[in-house]
Amino acid sequence: MTDYRFRTPISEEEIRKLRVNDVLYISGTMFTARDQAHRRALEYFKQGKSLPLNLEGLAAFHCGPIVKKTKDMWTIIAAGPTTSTRMEIFEDEFIKNFKVRVIIGKGGMGRRTTEAMASYGAVYGAFTGGAAILAAKAVRNVKSVEWLDLGMPEAMWILEVEEFGPLTIAIDSHGNNLFMNVQRKAEENKKRIYQKLGLSQ
Amino acid sequence: MEIENVVENVAFKLLKLAVIHLPEDVKQALEKAYTEETSETGKTQLKAILDNIECAEKYQTPICQDTGTIIFYVKAGAEAKHLEKIEGALIKATRRATVEVPLRPNAVNPFTQKNSGDNTGRLIPWINWEIEPTDEIELTVLPKGGGAENTCVMGMLVPGEGIRGVKKFVVDAVMNAGAKPCPPNILGVGIGGGSDIAMKIAKKALLRPLNNENPNPEIAKLEKEILEAVNMTGIGPMGLGGKTTVLSISIDYAYRHPASYPAAVAFNCWAARRATARISADGTVEYLTHRVDEVI
Ligand code: SF4
């Protein structure tokens, strides 16, 4: 378990240093993307349209923030992670096409994402579920907002962050998936647990 | 002051208190878990949780962006005046808290998918009533987060298996929930009654302070036994591995039909928010879950 501090854009070489259980803090540019933003970005790619921002080397955050507008300024009030599994159907294509290096969320992701991360060099950083103020505190400012027509939570918020974390590396670029390991071990422990409680399978 | 104004003010304060300050017993349980957790990754998660709780109090901001579905428990004294005004006052307090705290608007029409924007709608906030032989009103608010609500389960077990069936049901519920309900969790378990009754008492059991033992020693033993068992899963804080998956289990029961054995598991996340106050007949208010200096 090692602590890393990376600044965006992050290179493939850097990202491949990370292993599951490592802790990462990110500084630089990050953007939020939930279901709708993923869908639209992939549609744009298919149509050969360019995105509002070059995503290469950046971190995508599964988050629908609460944002307040005062005059012309946006301020992030709360920005906890949302459940990542909803983005599983998009994420492999997203990583492949846009070369984002870090996906941030809660609850982990599945086999397709894990394989894409190994092939193209990306990691999944788990941010503590519910820790919305810690996240908001690391946001220095809102650089811009794109696709606001999708609604506040679904829009793409482009954020300048400083030491955003701690992110526990739960999927690395070497095929390891911490959530799956934990789940597998829990299944193995089940027998002992049943025994302790005097239950049969 | 009119009773409806008192109730509205107290309910507003309870909502604000609940979403910003976790009750002392929950904080203590999280701190203890942090000290005792052996997985480094688990410790990192618990540290982030504790830091976040501290920030919430410092900046007077809700602990989590999901401020939940608003549920009230009202113990209404039969001799208290104007009980008919309480419901309206609670709805007003919810609307006001949504704007002023602020709370995230979490009330959506299941047909049109439209969010009402103010945390109210048909039957929401949900109010549980109890009549007591007093002239006081006791109000409790339970803002219930969506992540942990999604893993709640209710089952009609096999009567012949008795309590063993319940043990298995709870262990399986925790295994299936995995990282989803933002562990470490608090579990309320309801046994017996009927399908609705089991879940109702399971959820109400979430209101028991974590440092209060179950008054029934047999059930207290069962709670401990299941707690130890579910923490052997190794799911850990946020499902990233560790020995703290569940902080506490609180069981309650009702008598059952001979042919049925209902059981329910209500999950609460680490952001286990609740707040209670008692309003006396003369209008004095006593806050029971929070310190006076937290009440502003
Ligand atoms: S489950 Fe609880 S801590 Fe997690 S996001 Fe929902 S309300 Fe917040």
Side-chain angles (χ1 to χ4, degrees):
Chain A
M1 191 176 143
T2 318
D3 279 17
Y4 287 90
R5 285 178 162 72
F6 285 171
R7 184 165 283 282
T8 63
I10 303 168
S11 69
E12 180 175 349
E13 191 193 341
E14 268 182 308
I15 225 61
R16 294 225 183 252
K17 289 182 193 156
L18 301 173
R19 300 276 165 171
V20 285
N21 282 316
D22 282 346
V23 174
L24 174 64
Y25 292 85
I26 295 181
S27 299
T29 307
M30 200 166 99
F31 63 96
T32 67
R34 292 171 50 127
D35 317 49
Q36 300 300 329
H38 275 80
R39 187 192 305 272
R40 184 173 290 181
L42 291 176
E43 269 165 21
Y44 272 35
F45 186 83
K46 239 188 16 236
Q47 296 161 1
K49 278 200 327 215
S50 59
L51 298 189
L53 174 83
N54 177 9
L55 306 184
E56 186 168 344
L58 303 187
F61 185 16
H62 295 158
C63 165
I66 303 179
V67 195
K68 212 169 78 183
K69 193 176 191 178
T70 29
K71 285 189 194 138
D72 279 339
M73 254 204 17
W74 293 99
T75 318
I76 301 277
I77 305 291
T82 191
T83 303
S84 296
T85 43
R86 291 200 317 273
M87 273 58 81
E88 177 71 10
I89 51 172
F90 306 115
E91 214 68 277
D92 52 349
E93 286 288 306
F94 198 83
I95 292 167
K96 180 178 160 201
N97 296 341
F98 304 119
K99 301 199 172 49
V100 290
R101 294 288 173 220
V102 186
I103 304 288
I104 301 166
K106 72 163 179 163
M109 300 191 74
R111 198 166 308 281
R112 270 168 63 180
T113 302
T114 310
E115 280 166 14
M117 287 181 163
S119 307
Y120 306 106
V123 297
Y124 178 87
F127 190 81
T128 310
I133 313 171
L134 277 197
K137 243 181 59 177
V139 177
R140 284 291 157 270
N141 68 74
V142 177
K143 288 173 96 173
S144 65
V145 54
E146 306 291 342
W147 302 345
L148 198 51
D149 60 299
L150 297 175
M152 184 192 283
E154 297 285 341
M156 191 190 258
W157 294 91
I158 299 163
L159 311 172
E160 181 76 43
V161 298
E162 197 60 41
E163 300 259 315
F164 187 96
L167 304 170
T168 295
I169 302 304
I171 307 176
D172 62 22
S173 62
H174 308 282
N176 302 306
N177 185 321
L178 190 54
F179 286 99
M180 286 184 179
N181 294 350
V182 169
Q183 209 65 44
R184 196 177 324 114
K185 268 192 217 135
E187 275 304 324
E188 285 165 21
N189 290 337
K190 202 163 153 178
K191 221 168 146 186
R192 272 196 315 136
I193 296 170
Y194 278 6
Q195 246 165 26
K196 184 182 147 74
L197 293 174
L199 309 169
S200 49
Q201 281 290 342
Chain B
M1 216 196 275
E2 294 288 321
I3 178 73
E4 50 195 304
N5 292 337
V6 177
V7 170
E8 186 194 323
N9 276 333
V10 171
F12 171 81
K13 278 187 187 166
L14 288 176
L15 281 162
K16 185 165 179 187
L17 270 180
V19 300
I20 295 175
H21 301 263
L22 284 187
E24 211 49 48
D25 56 287
V26 178
K27 280 192 264 185
Q28 275 166 11
L30 286 164
E31 274 157 20
K32 182 161 169 273
Y34 173 68
T35 324
E36 289 174 3
E37 181 54 71
T38 44
S39 144
E40 272 197 70
T41 302
K43 251 186 158 36
T44 308
Q45 297 304 315
L46 288 164
K47 177 77 176 29
I49 287 172
L50 292 172
D51 286 350
N52 191 71
I53 292 170
E54 214 185 295
C55 285
E57 296 185 356
K58 196 163 132 203
Y59 301 113
Q60 291 291 299
T61 321
I63 305 156
C64 176
Q65 77 276 6
D66 180 1
T67 46
T69 293
I70 307 304
I71 301 171
F72 287 104
Y73 291 83
V74 182
K75 284 188 193 167
E79 283 151 46
K81 300 257 155 34
H82 295 303
L83 294 180
E84 78 283 1
K85 304 237 163 107
I86 291 181
E87 182 174 346
L90 295 180
I91 293 172
K92 265 198 194 160
T94 303
R95 291 196 174 127
R96 202 177 123 204
T98 304
V99 177
E100 290 179 29
V101 176
L103 308 179
R104 192 172 78 179
N106 277 341
V108 177
N109 180 318
F111 292 99
T112 62
Q113 318 310 329
K114 259 189 105 121
N115 194 319
S116 70
D118 65 2
N119 275 310
T120 73
R122 181 175 153 73
L123 298 181
I124 295 294
W126 179 256
I127 306 169
N128 296 279
W129 291 93
E130 268 174 55
I131 305 289
E132 302 236 305
T134 66
D135 56 2
E136 302 171 334
I137 299 165
E138 193 184 294
L139 288 181
T140 297
V141 61
L142 175 71
K144 189 68 180 59
E149 188 63 14
N150 284 344
T151 51
C152 294
V153 282
M154 189 271 137
M156 304 306 283
L157 311 185
V158 182
E161 287 193 354
I163 269 318
R164 287 161 42 113
V166 176
K167 292 181 187 174
K168 183 170 182 297
F169 189 65
V170 180
V171 170
D172 291 354
V174 172
M175 297 271 303
N176 292 334
K180 287 194 286 276
C182 285
N185 296 113
I186 293 156
L187 305 184
V189 178
I191 306 170
S195 54
D196 56 334
I197 301 164
M199 187 51 92
K200 223 179 159 73
I201 57 183
K203 214 167 234 183
K204 195 170 171 213
L206 293 175
L207 299 177
R208 193 179 96 199
L210 308 194
N211 46 13
N212 281 12
E213 271 226 348
N214 195 308
N216 178 325
E218 278 303 308
I219 303 179
K221 215 176 104 198
L222 179 66
E223 287 172 352
K224 234 178 115 204
E225 187 189 1
I226 302 180
L227 180 66
E228 275 171 24
V230 290
N231 281 331
M232 282 166 67
T233 56
I235 293 169
M238 293 300 143
L240 290 162
K243 63 179 194 181
T244 327
T245 308
V246 175
L247 294 172
S248 163
I249 298 181
S250 173
I251 301 178
D252 202 355
Y253 71 99
Y255 274 43
R256 63 178 179 84
H257 184 281
S260 322
Y261 204 111
V265 184
F267 281 75
N268 212 350
C269 50
W270 65 262
R273 296 152 286 188
R274 60 168 213 274
T276 304
R278 192 186 297 131
I279 305 168
S280 304
D282 64 3
T284 44
V285 183
E286 193 190 345
Y287 290 86
L288 305 177
T289 43
H290 289 74
R291 292 193 316 268
V292 184
D293 62 297
E294 293 175 328
V295 185
I296 23 132

